[in-house]
Amino acid sequence: LSVGQYQLLTDIDPNLSIIEQNIYVAAAIKGITYDEASKIKLNEFKELIEAAGNMNVKILEGLKINNNIILNGKKYHLEHNPDKLTSGQLLDIINIRSIHQNEPMKVIDSLLAAMCRPKDKGYGDDGLNLNERAALIRDIELHLVWNIFVFFWNLLNDYLGDTKDYL
């Protein structure tokens, strides 16, 4: 499951009927449109929904924090220590969080994009803007970045208040 797929799954409207929700689940898992997912034969559809129902991200919390990922064939470092972020990274993170303070799943891709920089280079030295980098993050397997995201989100909740007061 990729970061983007997980974000699609967590963004499904719970007010929809269960069948509609499940069609969106199938679309997210298979990487297809809602219309395409609505045409899946019931036996395959049932298997997809059962597999999604068995998914448990809590299992990922036992994995080691991974500071390195590959984006676009290049090595990147994910900085999970807020003290080592640049002011530009901090500004991007503050802006992302200000819009989605209580919606961390909606911004996994953007926050990870703001946390990463090319290995042995500075933030933004890849020539990509935040949205372009976030688009690449959506293709990363969730298990590779889940723990660093959770760790960083929780740590940042305390850190940002202290940093704003300090600045």
Side-chain angles (χ1 to χ4, degrees), residues 65-71 73-86 89 93 111-126 133 137 140 144-145 148 152:
I65 287 181
N66 179 23
N67 288 24
N68 300 300
I69 56 173
I70 305 289
L71 294 179
K74 297 176 183 148
K75 292 182 182 181
Y76 277 74
H77 174 74
L78 288 164
E79 188 54 69
H80 66 285
N81 182 344
D83 288 330
K84 293 184 179 179
L85 296 172
T86 67
Q89 285 174 294
I93 290 166
L111 280 174
L112 290 171
M115 292 167 57
C116 76
R117 60 175 169 73
K119 192 86 169 160
D120 300 324
K121 292 187 179 180
Y123 182 61
D125 285 348
D126 54 5
R133 204 173 307 108
I137 294 279
I140 296 291
L144 296 175
V145 293
I148 198 163
F152 187 78

Side-chain angles (χ1 to χ4, degrees), residues 129-146:
N129 66 37
L130 184 64
N131 292 330
E132 292 167 333
R133 204 173 307 108
L136 295 173
I137 294 279
R138 285 191 284 277
D139 291 333
I140 296 291
E141 292 297 313
L142 185 64
H143 70 91
L144 296 175
V145 293
W146 178 255

